[in-house]
Amino acid sequence: MNALGALAPVRRHAELGPFELLLNVFPLFGTYLLKLLVPTGLTVFHAFDPVTSAGDARVLAGAAAVLSFGVLGLMLWRVRGFGLLAWSVVLLPLIPVLYVPALGENPFAERYLYLPSVGFVWLLVLGAQAVVAVRPRVKPAVIAAGALLFAGCAFGMVTRQAAWASDRTLWTDAARKSPGAAVAHYNLAVALQSEGRLPEAEQSFLSALRIQPSPVAWTSLGALYRQLGRTDDALVALQAALQLHPDYAPALEQLRQLRAGGRR
């Protein structure tokens, strides 16, 4: 606290007012619960499209999810077993990540589900035990369902590893699944550039800039153009970066080197 001045000194999504921040809690929480139930479409970066109206269908669906989860907690509290503890393990780690201003560009991130996943699986096991206790004859069916679920998750885990083979494959996957995320296209461009795939890197930088112009992306594109020997294009890119941020040091340094005829 003394060093940073606050737990989260950088405020994100300042365009959202207090009421809009509250609205976004509901679709975020609902999306987390849905991802626990149906863990498909996994990617390292999910684009964030904030809601601004209480009538948005995502708010209504999220509110229904919150209500359902709350009812489940009340039921488990009345039973007074380990179920309430498992329910709490799902809920408590998610509460901090529902505060949008403290998070990065992607308030929804799968890594925030690591701990809640423990509580979710615990709830599944307790539910299976409760079903078997009431109807012992369904035990083989419950075991079979558990085995199929385990096999499906194992298959998904193994196939998902292909996306993590390299930076390029990881961000190619992210850009395909979150085409509106400038960060995904930018990181893909950096990965392609590091592999020497410069024309593809140029297209990815341009895709990122079409979505969200930034001095960082313009400067990186300028450096790429310098690497290709396209000095005129590099000058245009660096000037675009300085129009957005006149004191951006990396762009100023690149421009100095360009005018001096230097190359990295």
Side-chain angles (χ1 to χ4, degrees):
M1 290 287 286
N2 287 334
L4 299 177
L7 290 177
V10 179
R11 179 183 173 86
R12 305 283 186 175
H13 304 288
E15 75 279 4
L16 300 177
F19 179 67
E20 292 168 329
L21 292 175
L22 178 62
L23 287 181
N24 279 278
V25 167
F26 296 101
L28 273 177
F29 189 76
T31 303
Y32 278 118
L33 291 183
L34 180 61
K35 194 63 70 174
L36 284 173
L37 289 168
V38 188
T40 59
L42 304 180
T43 180
V44 70
F45 193 96
H46 293 268
F48 177 59
D49 181 20
V51 299
T52 57
S53 170
D56 193 304
R58 292 173 293 171
V59 175
L60 300 178
V66 170
L67 179 61
S68 300
F69 191 74
V71 170
L72 175 62
L74 180 61
M75 294 170 58
L76 294 172
W77 176 75
R78 290 179 176 177
V79 173
R80 298 187 182 278
F82 282 110
L84 183 61
L85 180 58
W87 179 88
S88 301
V89 174
V90 175
L91 175 65
L92 295 180
L94 286 178
I95 291 177
V97 300
L98 298 176
Y99 184 58
V100 173
L103 304 176
E105 294 186 46
N106 58 328
F108 176 79
E110 294 161 12
R111 61 184 178 275
Y112 300 142
L113 285 174
Y114 292 163
L115 287 175
S117 295
V118 176
F120 178 71
V121 173
W122 194 358
L123 284 173
L124 287 180
V125 173
L126 292 174
Q129 289 178 335
V131 170
V132 171
V134 175
R135 297 191 177 184
R137 287 185 293 182
V138 303
K139 184 176 181 178
V142 171
I143 293 175
L148 287 174
L149 179 61
F150 179 85
C153 290
F155 176 78
M157 180 183 67
V158 171
T159 55
R160 176 67 184 149
Q161 297 311 303
W164 291 84
S166 67
D167 287 346
R168 175 177 54 81
T169 57
L170 180 65
W171 291 107
T172 297
D173 177 79
R176 179 174 59 84
K177 293 177 179 175
S178 297
V183 170
H185 292 282
Y186 175 83
N187 286 336
L188 174 58
V190 172
L192 289 167
Q193 185 178 8
S194 68
E195 293 185 1
R197 303 169 68 159
L198 303 186
E200 295 174 73
E202 177 190 4
Q203 294 306 311
S204 290
F205 276 131
L206 291 173
S207 295
L209 286 165
R210 280 193 291 269
I211 298 169
Q212 182 180 350
S214 74
V216 176
W218 276 119
T219 302
S220 297
L221 180 60
L224 175 67
Y225 283 146
R226 289 185 61 208
Q227 189 176 352
L228 290 169
R230 295 163 56 180
T231 55
D232 290 342
D233 290 333
L235 180 61
V236 171
L238 294 172
Q239 289 175 339
L242 292 174
Q243 286 180 349
L244 295 173
H245 192 329
D247 298 324
Y248 189 57
L252 290 171
E253 175 60 18
Q254 289 279 348
L255 188 60
R256 183 195 67 79
Q257 293 180 17
L258 181 64
R259 288 173 173 170
R263 292 182 181 276
R264 288 192 179 276

